[in-house]
Amino acid sequence: MKIGIMGAMHEEIALFRDSMVDVSTQIRGMREYTSGKLAGCDVVVVFSRWGKVAASATATTLIERFDVDMLIFTGVAGAMAAELEVGDIVIADSLIQHDMDVSFLPNTKKFEIPLLGVSNFTVDDIYVQLAQSAAQSYLTNDLRTNVPENTLVSFNVTEPKVVVGLIASGDQFIADPAIADKLCSQLPGLQCVEMEGAAVAQVAYEHSIPCIVMRTISDKADHSAAVDFQQFTIDVASHFTCGSVMRLLESL
Ligand code: SAH
């Protein structure tokens, strides 16, 4: 099995590359694809860039050019569920494109992908469980040696937890509580919002391969969302997602 690992942060891709062996690199469509072995698995690692188009193009290249049989997407996300804190990890069991709306068409619901007839892309239970265990194992066993305590404290990360649920994606950085509230009321059970996951899930669905989406909460999708965002991704989130994926690869 060959696994495509897509990240929305330069920093986590750099961490993956540091741990890879038998490495070779190809540039395609303005992306750098690094092939090699990671935790004993054949992988291709790539920085997807941001947004649904960028992520879908990258996912398609991974499938068509690099013959991956599975996709893993990692990155950061804005919390929607009230109980989520910065530093928590969300594993998608379902993904939706919150900016898709062709409900003017007969028999088409809001959020439904035209012609596909699907609104929610679900992740197989087995992969949800593997990803959940991997992230929990990272937090329990690796976190305290992986990220310095004073760094965690500086971002108010105390007891990060792993949560499973619905992730919504759209081409918009959400930093307005009014928009966040509207999304929460339209999408019951929504955990977090980001800009790529459901697009990658659609590509995976259309090619009949599994797709796992793992996100570290970087902000609460409110007016403070941009504060220290970049530093958090470098110092904390990239380690969380990279560490969790390493654990996941060991279990596949
Ligand atoms: N890392 C960049 C900022 C990227 S912002 C920097 O350092 O400047 C866009 C990325 O953050 C996307 O990958 C998106 O999926 C994610 N993201 C995090 N919080 C988000 C939010 N509140 N709304 C939408 N996307 C969010």
Side-chain angles (χ1 to χ4, degrees):
M1 180 157 77
K2 197 195 273 188
I3 302 165
I5 302 177
M6 309 172 62
M9 290 181 273
H10 266 304
E11 297 78 14
E12 66 187 341
I13 294 302
L15 290 178
F16 286 128
R17 284 186 181 143
D18 288 348
S19 303
M20 285 171 69
V21 293
D22 301 339
V23 172
S24 64
T25 296
Q26 276 188 55
I27 308 278
R28 290 210 173 262
M30 299 187 180
R31 310 281 190 281
E32 192 177 56
Y33 295 83
T34 306
S35 304
K37 281 201 178 288
L38 188 63
C41 297
D42 288 322
V43 298
V44 185
V45 172
V46 58
F47 170 48
S48 66
R49 302 191 174 186
W50 305 317
K52 292 189 299 163
V53 174
S56 319
T58 313
T60 305
T61 303
L62 280 169
I63 295 167
E64 293 288 340
R65 287 275 181 178
F66 293 90
D67 290 323
V68 305
D69 314 290
M70 175 178 190
L71 290 169
I72 299 175
F73 197 101
T74 64
V76 284
M80 290 281 135
E83 59 276 15
L84 281 179
E85 298 294 337
V86 168
D88 290 346
I89 298 175
V90 179
I91 311 295
D93 63 3
S94 174
L95 297 113
I96 197 161
Q97 294 175 25
H98 69 71
D99 52 0
M100 177 58 76
D101 186 359
V102 287
S103 54
F104 75 96
L105 290 173
N107 305 320
T108 308
K109 298 188 291 289
K110 195 171 164 68
F111 307 122
E112 186 174 317
I113 306 298
L115 306 179
L116 205 57
V118 175
S119 309
N120 286 68
F121 296 96
T122 53
V123 181
D124 288 348
D125 273 352
I126 179 71
Y127 292 115
V128 173
Q129 281 165 28
L130 286 172
Q132 184 181 16
S133 310
Q136 190 56 62
S137 171
Y138 168 79
L139 291 178
T140 308
N141 301 304
D142 309 332
L143 171 63
R144 304 287 159 183
T145 49
N146 195 218
V147 182
E149 188 64 31
N150 59 344
T151 304
L152 295 173
V153 169
S154 70
F155 290 104
N156 290 324
V157 177
T158 48
E159 291 294 328
K161 57 188 178 293
V162 183
V163 169
V164 171
L166 175 65
I167 294 183
S169 314
D171 285 322
Q172 194 181 9
F173 189 92
I174 309 285
D176 178 344
I179 298 176
D181 286 351
K182 192 169 168 209
L183 282 176
C184 284
S185 63
Q186 288 175 332
L187 297 168
L190 180 60
Q191 296 298 319
C192 65
V193 67
E194 38 86 308
M195 299 174 64
E196 300 87 12
V200 175
Q202 180 180 340
V203 175
Y205 176 89
E206 290 174 349
H207 288 80
S208 306
I209 65 167
C211 171
I212 294 174
V213 179
M214 273 189 173
R215 294 277 179 172
T216 301
I217 297 299
S218 57
D219 58 81
K220 295 203 167 182
D222 56 17
H223 299 302
S224 65
V227 177
D228 283 341
F229 186 91
Q230 187 149 14
Q231 205 56 43
F232 177 79
T233 66
I234 296 169
D235 291 347
V236 180
S238 56
H239 295 281
F240 279 32
T241 46
C242 181
S244 300
V245 168
M246 295 291 276
R247 288 268 173 184
L248 175 60
L249 294 178
E250 285 162 13
S251 69
L252 284 175

